[in-house]
C-alpha cells in the first residue's frame, strides 16, 4: 500500500495532480505563477526516491518507516530569501514598491534549477479495511517532507 501510494507521486498520477491543483487554487497567485509552481512540484514528485526501511504491524494497524530523498526546496527557498534580503534593490519597482512577481519568478527559477537533495524519514500509518491496507492521511510534517520544504 505504501509503495503504490508513493508511486502515485512518482508517476504524477491524476489523483496527485488534482490534489496539487486543488492546493494551488487556494494560493494567491496568477495562472502563470501557478503553472510554474505546478511544474516545480511535479518535477519534485517524479524525481523522488524512496526506500521502505521497516514495518510494524499491530492487528489492523501498521506503521511503515520510509526514507525519502527529494530536491531540497527548503534550502532553495532559504537561499532565495537570503538573496532577496541582500539584493532587495533588484526587486523594487520604479515607484519604490516591491515587485513581488519578480521575486516569485526568481524563487521558482531557483526551485526549478536545484539539484541538491535531502533525505527524510517518515512513519506512514496504515489501517486494514476489509482486508486491505489503507494509507492514512499524512501529517503536515510528512507532506512537507514529500515536498522538500520540511525545516531541518
Amino acid at each position: 500500500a505504501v509503495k503504490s501510494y508513493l508511486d502515485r507521486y512518482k508517476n504524477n498520477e491524476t489523483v496527485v495532480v488534482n490534489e496539487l491543483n486543488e492546493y494551488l487554487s487556494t494560493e494567491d497567485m496568477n495562472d502563470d505563477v501557478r503553472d510554474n509552481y505546478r511544474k516545480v512540484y511535479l518535477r519534485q514528485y517524479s524525481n523522488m526516491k524512496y526506500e521502505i526501511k521497516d514495518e510494524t504491524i499491530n492487528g489492523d494497524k501498521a506503521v511503515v518507516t520510509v526514507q525519502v530523498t527529494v530536491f531540497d526546496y527548503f534550502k532553495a527557498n532559504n537561499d532565495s530569501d537570503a538573496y532577496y534580503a541582500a539584493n532587495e534593490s533588484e526587486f523594487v519597482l520604479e515607484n519604490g514598491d516591491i515587485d513581488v512577481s519578480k521575486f516569485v519568478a526568481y524563487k521558482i527559477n531557483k526551485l526549478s534549477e536545484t539539484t541538491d537533495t535531502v533525505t527524510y524519514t517518515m512513519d506512514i500509518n496504515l489501517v486494514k479495511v476489509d482486508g486491505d491496507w489503507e494509507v492514512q492521511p499524512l501529517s503536515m510534517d510528512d507532506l512537507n517532507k514529500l515536498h522538500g520544504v520540511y525545516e531541518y
Side-chain angles (χ1 to χ4, degrees):
V2 171
K3 182 181 180 321
S4 63
Y5 179 84
L6 293 173
D7 283 346
R8 281 187 218 134
Y9 281 88
K10 283 192 65 65
N11 299 327
N12 291 331
E13 289 186 15
T14 304
V15 65
V16 171
V17 174
N18 288 345
E19 286 175 7
L20 178 61
N21 289 339
E22 188 175 307
Y23 167 74
L24 290 173
S25 72
T26 67
E27 297 297 301
D28 184 19
M29 57 182 74
N30 69 37
D31 289 343
D32 287 343
V33 171
R34 188 173 290 112
D35 288 344
N36 287 328
Y37 266 115
R38 182 179 303 103
K39 289 175 189 166
V40 161
Y41 282 102
L42 292 177
R43 171 183 177 257
Q44 177 74 288
Y45 301 155
S46 61
N47 285 280
M48 171 183 63
K49 293 175 178 48
Y50 68 87
E51 183 179 349
I52 295 175
K53 297 301 234 176
D54 192 27
E55 65 179 40
T56 304
I57 299 172
N58 184 4
D60 62 352
K61 294 185 179 180
V63 177
V64 175
T65 302
V66 180
Q67 202 169 53
V68 295
T69 301
V70 292
F71 290 122
D72 192 350
Y73 287 175
F74 176 73
K75 180 180 181 296
N77 278 324
N78 281 351
D79 290 351
S80 295
D81 292 344
Y83 182 85
Y84 170 79
N87 301 279
E88 192 172 325
S89 62
E90 288 184 30
F91 302 98
V92 175
L93 297 166
E94 287 181 21
N95 67 3
D97 291 344
I98 301 299
D99 187 346
V100 176
S101 63
K102 185 174 182 181
F103 175 64
V104 169
Y106 175 84
K107 185 178 267 196
I108 289 171
N109 187 51
K110 291 300 168 195
L111 291 169
S112 298
E113 290 178 349
T114 193
T115 56
D116 294 340
T117 60
V118 61
T119 300
Y120 299 114
T121 300
M122 300 168 35
D123 286 328
I124 298 178
N125 295 300
L126 296 95
V127 174
K128 195 175 249 187
V129 178
D130 296 328
D132 294 322
W133 289 106
E134 293 184 4
V135 173
Q136 297 304 290
L138 298 184
S139 69
M140 186 53 72
D141 281 350
D142 285 342
L143 285 171
N144 285 337
K145 289 175 182 179
L146 274 185
H147 291 100
V149 296
Y150 182 77
E151 187 172 347
Y152 52 84

